[in-house]
């Protein structure tokens, strides 16, 4: 059974920081490209950041310079360090795992991040 379990969400004030974690099981983690997506109410899910199996990272322009994605293959975990949080960062954040050969995609259930004073 494949599971992606997010944690670390919660309420934080604007300008604050939060670190999300996604623990994966049931997959050979090191072979997967990992990512974080988010979905605000009434909006489409959007890419936040990705980190490939080779370590290459990619960020949405809206979070570049504020968020950092990282992975610890020994712990089968991907992280999202979020700094300088803004109210518009409020969303459910989803962990994503993907591999190309064979083509497989998995999603976590999400963790809610609320940025509000």
């Amino acid at each position: 059974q494949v599971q992606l379990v997010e944690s670390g969400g919660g309420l934080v004030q604007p300008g604050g920081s939060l670190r999300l974690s996604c623990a994966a099981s049931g997959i050979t983690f090191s072979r997967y490209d990992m990512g974080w997506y988010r979905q605000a109410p009434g909006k489409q899910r959007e890419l936040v950041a990705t980190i490939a199996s080779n370590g290459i990272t990619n960020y949405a322009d809206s979070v570049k310079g504020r968020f950092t994605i990282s992975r610890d293959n020994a712990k089968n975990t991907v992280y999202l360090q979020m700094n300088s949080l803004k109210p518009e960062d409020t969303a459910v954040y989803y962990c994503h795992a993907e591999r190309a050969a064979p083509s497989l995609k998995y999603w976590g259930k999400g963790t809610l991040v609320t940025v509000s004073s």
Side-chain angles (χ1 to χ4, degrees), residues 80-98:
L80 185 68
Q81 178 66 47
M82 304 184 293
N83 299 326
S84 302
L85 283 162
K86 305 174 181 179
E88 51 262 45
D89 295 318
T90 296
V92 176
Y93 284 71
Y94 296 91
C95 181
H96 179 253
E98 180 175 355

Side-chain angles (χ1 to χ4, degrees), residues 43-64:
K43 295 187 177 181
Q44 286 189 275
R45 190 173 299 186
E46 64 176 351
L47 183 146
V48 177
T50 61
I51 182 165
S53 60
N54 62 11
I56 295 175
T57 58
N58 180 264
Y59 298 91
D61 288 342
S62 59
V63 307
K64 195 170 297 182

